[in-house]
Amino acid sequence: MASVLNVKESKASERTVVVAGLPVALFSDELLAILVKSHFQDVKNEGGVVEGVIYPTRTKGVAYVTFREKKVAENVIRKKNHYLEKKVIPTPLKVSHLSEKVFSSVNAILDLSVFRSQIVLESLVMDLKRKIPTLCFSCLGPSGTISVRGSFLAMKRLRESLLSKASSLLEKNRNFITEGRKWDRQSPRRSLQRSNSVEPLRPSVPKTSRSGETLILDTDVFLYLKKKCKSYESILKSFHVLCQERVDGELTTICIQNAYAVSLPNNETNVKKLIEELSHVLHFELRKETINLEGKEAREKRNINVACEQLSSKYPQVLINSCKTHIDIIGSSSDTYSFKKEVMKLLRQRVRK
């Protein structure tokens, strides 16, 4: 796995295009990757030297093509019509710049009731819609819950915006209470009346005003980063920081804080940047295969788990995340494809016996 320190992601992104609309039902993954590379190396398609093709990816029918020169990527995008294997099957392709829109869509249900005592929830939702117009919001429920859908980066901005709002409200409330206590000391006769007016203003907002950095990652990327990448623990130890991690569905929140009071204040910021860069690289390198366990008998589920355990030593870079209803296989495109294929092969052999 490449070191994040040697990756110049900004330059690579300028030479990378996103190719959507691949005919996944007609060709195997290996053949599609070959066809895509051949297509974009052809000068008739405004192509050039291709450094690499990432396929399959986390998004079905989408590939990432990186050229040696930025100009070639721009020419490919400028060409309006692209057809894969036009002589055999004229499959139209959609080619676009690599951007945050590439990230898979994320769904989340937010509980905004914690803000109810501090702000009108409808106003909060309107403010979020204005700040992050790429997100899709459902109607606000009577209990304060709301469903949100959007790209991972848009969700990340949403979480950061809510954390900032919570911190701001908490700070205002603390200042108000502090002023109230000063006023009480000056007017002891009215202390009871004052305390009664302050009590309802206690916020139920999470405590986010502590020093440190907060980082939000895709859960699959985070699990792989923590369990399969030695770089993660190495970064924490090198900068003497501690991480408090909370997995919440498809998103994981990491709170980064210095382990010692004498640690440098910018350690937390440096760790956040390094983890962000590393996770960004993994987001494009990783692919997830899923084995569904729903509707299967206990014996069949046991056989699947045994097969995964047997293959784990053969594929040390593959993360196996077992859940009640399914098993996620996370790793590189080739590893996850081969891993799942061998699992199915082992299961067929057991059935024959």
Side-chain angles (χ1 to χ4, degrees):
M1 192 165 293
S3 170
V4 69
L5 299 178
N6 296 327
V7 177
K8 296 181 179 179
E9 195 63 32
S10 58
K11 291 185 179 180
S13 64
E14 294 175 354
R15 295 181 282 109
T16 301
V17 299
V18 184
V19 183
L22 298 179
V24 294
L26 301 177
F27 303 102
S28 65
D29 292 342
E30 291 84 355
L31 182 55
L32 270 178
I34 294 172
L35 292 176
V36 168
K37 184 173 182 179
S38 176
H39 175 86
F40 288 103
Q41 282 184 331
D42 193 337
V43 292
K44 295 180 181 178
N45 299 317
E46 301 295 337
V49 179
V50 174
E51 284 191 349
V53 175
I54 300 178
Y55 186 82
T57 63
R58 294 162 64 92
T59 305
K60 190 174 182 180
V62 173
Y64 304 110
V65 180
T66 302
F67 296 96
R68 181 177 295 177
E69 298 179 9
K70 177 182 176 182
K71 184 178 179 181
V72 177
E74 294 173 346
N75 291 339
V76 164
I77 294 172
R78 195 176 294 114
K79 178 178 168 60
K80 294 183 179 180
N81 300 317
H82 284 275
Y83 291 90
L84 188 65
E85 279 293 287
K86 189 172 182 180
K87 294 181 180 178
V88 182
I89 301 174
T91 305
L93 303 176
K94 182 180 179 181
V95 183
S96 58
H97 284 286
L98 179 66
S99 68
E100 66 177 65
K101 294 181 180 179
V102 174
F103 287 90
S104 302
S105 177
V106 177
N107 294 305
I109 297 178
L110 302 179
D111 184 0
L112 302 179
S113 61
V114 294
F115 293 96
R116 197 186 295 275
S117 63
Q118 302 290 305
I119 192 173
V120 178
L121 296 186
E122 287 76 6
S123 299
L124 176 60
V125 173
M126 291 297 294
D127 185 51
L128 293 173
K129 288 180 178 180
R130 180 180 57 79
K131 288 182 178 178
I132 317 172
T134 56
L135 287 176
C136 295
F137 292 82
S138 69
C139 295
L140 183 66
S143 62
T145 59
I146 189 169
S147 177
V148 187
R149 186 181 77 253
S151 71
F152 171 67
L153 289 185
M155 285 291 192
K156 181 180 176 182
R157 287 200 295 271
L158 173 63
R159 181 67 70 91
E160 290 173 348
S161 179
L162 288 174
L163 288 174
S164 176
K165 174 65 73 173
S167 179
S168 175
L169 291 173
L170 187 59
E171 190 63 31
K172 286 181 180 179
N173 192 70
R174 282 177 175 172
N175 292 338
F176 185 83
I177 293 175
T178 300
E179 290 298 321
R181 286 172 179 169
K182 290 180 180 178
W183 193 87
D184 288 341
R185 286 193 294 269
Q186 295 172 0
S187 306
R189 295 179 182 178
R190 301 183 61 182
S191 59
L192 179 62
Q193 178 184 349
R194 188 61 179 178
S195 62
N196 287 338
S197 64
V198 172
E199 185 66 25
L201 292 174
R202 286 182 185 171
S204 54
V205 180
K207 296 180 180 179
T208 59
S209 58
R210 299 189 309 171
S211 61
E213 293 283 354
T214 301
L215 179 62
I216 301 166
L217 300 178
D218 176 276
T219 295
D220 291 334
V221 172
F222 163 72
L223 291 175
Y224 191 92
L225 180 64
K226 185 176 181 180
K227 297 181 179 181
K228 290 296 178 180
C229 296
K230 295 180 180 179
S231 307
Y232 183 73
E233 293 297 333
S234 177
I235 290 172
L236 301 186
K237 290 179 180 178
S238 298
F239 287 89
H240 305 291
V241 300
L242 298 175
C243 281
Q244 183 180 2
E245 302 138 354
R246 187 181 69 183
V247 177
D248 185 16
E250 296 182 22
L251 297 178
T252 293
T253 304
I254 303 176
C255 296
I256 306 168
Q257 288 187 311
N258 284 323
Y260 310 106
V262 294
S263 299
L264 295 175
N266 61 340
N267 277 2
E268 299 159 335
T269 303
N270 290 333
V271 169
K272 179 180 179 180
K273 288 180 179 178
L274 286 173
I275 295 177
E276 278 182 333
E277 291 177 7
L278 190 55
S279 64
H280 185 64
V281 174
L282 289 176
H283 188 89
F284 292 101
E285 290 183 351
L286 297 179
R287 184 194 179 199
K288 179 171 72 174
E289 290 279 358
T290 301
I291 300 177
N292 188 19
L293 300 179
E294 289 185 307
K296 299 185 185 302
E297 297 180 356
R299 181 181 177 182
E300 189 175 1
K301 291 181 180 179
R302 186 164 56 252
N303 288 339
I304 294 174
N305 280 291
V306 170
C308 289
E309 290 176 5
Q310 289 177 348
L311 293 171
S312 60
S313 59
K314 184 178 179 180
Y315 294 90
Q317 293 304 314
V318 169
L319 174 65
I320 305 168
N321 187 26
S322 298
C323 305
K324 289 184 178 180
T325 58
H326 64 278
I327 297 176
D328 287 332
I329 305 165
I330 305 171
S332 67
S333 297
S334 58
D335 281 351
T336 53
Y337 175 80
S338 300
F339 187 97
K340 186 175 181 180
K341 188 176 180 180
E342 290 198 42
V343 169
M344 296 299 110
K345 183 178 179 180
L346 288 175
L347 292 176
R348 287 193 294 269
Q349 290 175 352
R350 288 179 178 274
V351 172
R352 289 171 187 168
K353 293 178 182 179

